[in-house]
């Protein structure tokens, strides 16, 4: 159930993807500016870059170091929420748009996988009201 670890440090192979991503963002901005009838989210938008799937303390340390490197490049601090079961995150806000890089610790991923291991064993059953509309649910 594990996924490959991501390396967020740019290299020559990633440069063309990075260039295409930046161009795609510019194209989106140009499109939205020239099409005011197209809605945008009324609150905020986040570009979230995960550090990969951490599997042990070694990948935790490597991925935390990568988030630290990104925080330094962004010129912002890291928010360490791992003692409360959270993530290791850095964010830079550009008005209502946020760029964030996220590390999910191995122990948090293990908890996530444990909870998800039950998903095929619990099914939602929707109950119909008097008109036949499905309005309430229960686990079966």
């Amino acid at each position: 159930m594990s996924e490959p670890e991501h390396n967020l440090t740019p290299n020559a192979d990633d440069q063309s993807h990075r260039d295409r991503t930046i161009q795609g963002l510019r194209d989106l901005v140009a499109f939205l500016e020239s099409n005011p009838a197209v809605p945008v989210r009324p609150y905020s938008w986040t570009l979230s870059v995960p550090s990969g799937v951490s599997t042990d303390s070694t990948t935790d340390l490597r991925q935390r170091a990568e988030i630290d490197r990104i925080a330094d490049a962004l010129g912002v601090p890291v928010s360490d929420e791992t003692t409360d079961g959270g993530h290791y995150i850095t964010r830079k806000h550009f008005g209502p748009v946020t760029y964030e890089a996220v590390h999910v610790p191995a122990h948090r991923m293990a908890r996530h996988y444990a909870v998800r291991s039950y998903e095929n064993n619990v099914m939602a059953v929707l109950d119909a009201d008097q008109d036949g509309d499905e309005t309430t649910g229960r686990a079966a």
Side-chain angles (χ1 to χ4, degrees), residues 71-95:
D72 187 52
L74 292 171
V76 296
V78 169
S79 175
D80 186 353
E81 302 165 1
T82 57
T83 57
D84 297 325
H87 305 342
Y88 194 75
I89 304 171
T90 188
R91 294 182 178 101
K92 183 165 180 109
H93 302 282
F94 302 87

Side-chain angles (χ1 to χ4, degrees), residues 12-133:
D13 296 334
D14 296 333
Q15 190 61 45
S16 71
H17 175 72
R18 179 181 172 80
D19 291 346
R20 289 191 315 273
T21 299
I22 292 168
Q23 186 58 52
L25 290 168
R26 288 181 178 136
D27 292 346
L28 174 61
V29 167
F31 177 80
L32 291 174
E33 285 179 337
S34 63
N35 293 281
V38 175
V40 295
R41 288 180 52 113
Y43 306 108
S44 63
W45 180 79
T46 301
L47 173 62
S48 186
V49 179
S51 63
V53 177
S54 191
T55 57
D56 56 34
S57 61
T58 301
T59 55
D60 275 348
L61 289 174
R62 221 176 14 249
Q63 291 176 3
R64 285 175 67 107
E66 186 63 11
I67 299 303
D68 290 340
R69 185 193 68 76
I70 293 168
D72 187 52
L74 292 171
V76 296
V78 169
S79 175
D80 186 353
E81 302 165 1
T82 57
T83 57
D84 297 325
H87 305 342
Y88 194 75
I89 304 171
T90 188
R91 294 182 178 101
K92 183 165 180 109
H93 302 282
F94 302 87
V97 177
T98 302
Y99 177 96
E100 73 177 14
V102 181
H103 162 63
V104 181
H107 71 274
R108 183 69 183 103
M109 287 307 302
R111 184 182 310 144
H112 169 75
Y113 290 140
V115 168
R116 296 233 14 229
S117 70
Y118 289 95
E119 71 184 14
N120 292 327
N121 299 315
V122 178
M123 306 301 276
V125 176
L126 298 176
D127 296 323
D129 64 10
Q130 293 176 356
D131 298 328
D133 296 327

